[in-house]
């Protein structure tokens, strides 16, 4: 179990481990060498699939008149139970089931007292009401795109406004190109004259529907540096997936990347062709492919999803010879369905297999896909975490938070939602995990912010509660 765990929300309290019988802090523990409280675990995982009980032993029980157990969270300390000496068996079993008002992390204080209420020994038991992959210590590391703004105290290794005519953009979908480089696809992009105007693109020239960067940087704690971008003859980042820029609401408005993957020696881009952003009306979703590590790309007519498809937006990840594709309708209001594709069959849509909860994998019938993750899911990213042997699925929820769920198998069961970025970053979206860190105890991901309409590199610490 987790050793010497100090939770951030409770850190201010941990200096006070002893509480008198009337709840006042400050009593000294006496005869500590004579009485000791021993717990079979330091952490109680009340939402876990393993045992949620802890054995309690007290040495020199004859000196103890009662065992007082108090619950402490970030707001208050309350009496949970008081056990008189007559009921202090050699081994006590402590069990706790969480309720709807419990915080995600709190702890119990076990205190052995003498007949005068003096503390003879104390021991803390930390409680987890979550299981699976747990994140902490959210950090904004660096700017990925655009110009450093006044008062901004993070590094900016790329200066894309100066070098590539990219002043404003979003997304930053990362995939492993398997040649020592990672690709990053960005969405609607504007030139170096772009200025933040309180959210979104704003007045700026050189509109491109998408642009592509390359990076061989693996040390991300000082930022994510580009080795270059796909550029035109002027050295400006060029558009990869074509769009007609028809803003009437009745045609081809813009082509937005949703996912990318390297499969069987080829790099693939999944994109959605938007008719109008009002309701995210989509003409279709389809693929582009590059057989030369992103130098040139071709539109793939072999695969197309209709505008109302449950795979209008997708997230890709590879495992055991398959590309797994988690799909949602375009926008942020749909639920997630699942498909898998043999790596050699990315351009053979008839070979796509769709997950049906009752019947398993069904080949070639998109309508057979049943909902895997319900609710309102948008702009997702998928990873199989090699260290923790769990799938992680991160997405934007309808309330504007960045959420993730995790599971031991791609088909589930998926743990309840947990927050990835829930406050402090208004207008956050587009949380795309870096696949090069899938064996790390830290998760790195790009994050867009509507204001200043650019992309940043974020990091969280990871641990896994089984």
């Amino acid at each position: 179990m987790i050793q010497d765990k100090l939770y951030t929300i409770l850190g201010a309290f941990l200096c006070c481990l002893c509480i008198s019988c009337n709840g006042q802090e400050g009593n000294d523990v006496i005869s500590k060498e004579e009485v000791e409280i021993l717990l079979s675990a330091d952490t109680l995982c009340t939402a876990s699939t393993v045992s949620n009980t802890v054995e309690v032993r007290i040495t020199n029980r004859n000196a103890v008149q009662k065992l007082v157990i108090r619950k402490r969270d970030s707001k208050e300390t309350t009496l949970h139970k008081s056990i008189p000496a007559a009921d202090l068996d050699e081994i006590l079993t402590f069990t706790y089931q969480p309720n709807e008002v419990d915080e995600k992390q709190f702890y119990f204080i076990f205190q052995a007292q003498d007949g005068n209420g003096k503390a003879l020994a104390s021991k803390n038991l930390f409680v987890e009401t979550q299981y699976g992959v747990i994140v902490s210590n959210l950090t904004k590391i660096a700017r990925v795109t655009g110009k450093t703004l006044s008062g901004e105290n993070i590094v900016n290794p790329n200066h894309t406004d100066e070098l590539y005519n990219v002043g404003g953009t979003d997304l930053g979908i990362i995939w492993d190109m398997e040649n020592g480089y990672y690709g990053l696809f960005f969405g609607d992009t504007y030139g170096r004259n772009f200025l933040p105007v309180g959210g979104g693109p704003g007045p700026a020239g050189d509109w491109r529907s998408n642009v592509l960067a390359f990076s061989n940087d693996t040390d991300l704690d000082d930022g994510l540096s580009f080795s270059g971008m796909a550029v035109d003859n002027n050295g400006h980042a060029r558009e990869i997936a074509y769009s007609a820029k028809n803003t009437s609401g009745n045609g081809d408005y813009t082509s937005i990347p949703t996912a990318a993957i390297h499969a069987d020696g080829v790099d693939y881009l999944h994109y959605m062709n938007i008719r109008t952003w009002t309701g995210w009306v989509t003409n279709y979703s389809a693929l582009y492919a590059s057989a030369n590590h992103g130098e040139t790309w071709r539109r793939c007519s072999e695969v197309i999803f209709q505008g109302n498809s449950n795979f209008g937006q997708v997230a890709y990840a590879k495992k055991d010879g398959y590309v797994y594709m988690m799909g949602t309708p375009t926008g942020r209001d749909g639920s997630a369905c699942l498909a898998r594709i043999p790596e050699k069959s990315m351009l053979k849509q008839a070979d796509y297999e769709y997950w049906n909860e009752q019947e398993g994998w069904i080949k070639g019938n998109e309508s057979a896909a049943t909902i895997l993750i319900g609710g309102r899911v948008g702009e997702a990213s998928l990873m199989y975490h090699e260290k923790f042997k769990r799938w992680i699925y991160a997405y934007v929820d309808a309330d504007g938070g960045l959420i993730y769920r995790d599971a031991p198998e791609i088909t589930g069961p998926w743990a309840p939602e947990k927050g990835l970025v829930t406050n402090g970053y208004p207008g956050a979206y587009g949380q795309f995990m870096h696949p090069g860190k899938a064996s790390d105890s830290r998760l790195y991901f790009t994050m867009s912010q509507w204001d200043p309409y650019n992309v940043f590199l974020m990091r969280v610490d990871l641990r896994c509660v089984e």
Side-chain angles (χ1 to χ4, degrees), residues 240-257:
I240 301 298
Y242 170 79
S243 71
K245 313 296 186 304
N246 181 344
T247 60
S248 69
N250 298 306
D252 174 355
Y253 189 129
T254 188
S255 292
I256 302 299

Side-chain angles (χ1 to χ4, degrees), residues 116-138:
N116 296 317
K118 290 290 186 179
L120 303 176
S122 288
K123 186 72 172 180
N124 290 347
L125 174 67
F126 293 93
V127 179
E128 293 275 7
T129 63
Q130 302 181 95
Y131 65 97
V133 176
I134 310 294
V135 305
S136 60
N137 299 326
L138 175 67

Side-chain angles (χ1 to χ4, degrees), residues 136-401:
S136 60
N137 299 326
L138 175 67
T139 303
K140 178 183 273 190
I141 298 175
R143 187 178 262 273
V144 177
T145 62
K147 179 181 180 180
T148 298
L149 300 181
S150 176
E152 196 170 81
N153 296 316
I154 54 174
V155 297
N156 183 357
N158 298 316
H159 301 283
T160 60
D161 57 321
E162 300 174 7
L163 298 178
Y164 303 108
N165 195 31
V166 175
T169 191
D170 65 353
L171 302 184
I173 299 164
I174 314 173
W175 84 102
D176 186 352
M177 302 184 76
E178 299 186 14
N179 61 343
Y181 286 82
Y182 296 91
L184 295 95
F185 264 112
F186 299 90
D188 281 321
T189 299
Y190 300 87
R192 59 175 55 94
N193 65 331
F194 170 83
L195 293 173
V197 290
D206 300 308
W207 173 23
R208 290 139 288 171
S209 287
N210 47 81
V211 294
L212 170 63
F214 307 101
S215 173
N216 59 357
D217 186 3
T218 58
D219 182 5
L220 302 181
D221 287 320
D222 61 354
L224 194 165
S225 298
F226 293 172
S227 57
M229 295 191 76
V231 296
D232 60 19
N233 292 333
N234 296 316
H236 298 175
R238 72 175 191 270
E239 183 174 280
I240 301 298
Y242 170 79
S243 71
K245 313 296 186 304
N246 181 344
T247 60
S248 69
N250 298 306
D252 174 355
Y253 189 129
T254 188
S255 292
I256 302 299
T258 81
I261 197 74
H262 184 90
D264 193 34
V266 177
D267 293 291
Y268 294 96
L269 165 68
H270 179 286
Y271 72 100
M272 55 183 177
N273 184 261
I274 299 294
R275 183 183 307 168
T276 175
W277 283 118
T278 303
W280 292 48
V281 178
T282 305
N283 293 313
Y284 60 87
S285 296
L287 303 183
Y288 270 75
S290 172
N292 53 12
H293 303 299
E295 291 184 23
T296 59
W297 295 78
R298 75 170 183 90
R299 164 77 165 83
C300 302
S301 59
E302 299 94 325
V303 174
I304 190 165
F305 296 95
Q306 299 303 313
N308 61 352
S309 170
N310 286 327
F311 296 88
Q313 289 179 269
V314 306
Y316 285 141
K318 288 197 308 184
K319 190 174 186 296
D320 301 330
Y322 285 96
V323 173
Y324 288 92
M325 181 174 70
M326 199 84 88
T328 64
T330 53
R332 298 173 180 169
D333 293 327
S335 299
C337 297
L338 175 65
R340 69 179 185 184
I341 311 156
E343 282 197 49
K344 294 181 180 294
S345 297
M346 285 294 293
L347 297 182
K348 297 178 181 178
Q349 197 164 1
D351 288 349
Y352 285 27
E353 298 177 88
Y354 301 89
W355 177 253
N356 182 283
E357 186 178 5
Q358 287 75 39
E359 301 181 38
W361 295 105
I362 297 177
K363 186 175 179 179
N365 182 6
E366 179 187 337
S367 64
T370 54
I371 292 174
L372 183 66
I373 294 180
R376 300 168 69 185
V377 178
E379 295 172 299
S381 177
L382 182 65
M383 168 190 284
Y384 181 73
H385 200 281
E386 297 287 347
K387 180 173 183 176
F388 298 131
K389 307 302 180 187
R390 293 183 75 87
W391 291 89
I392 302 174
Y393 185 61
Y395 53 92
V396 183
D397 75 357
D399 296 322

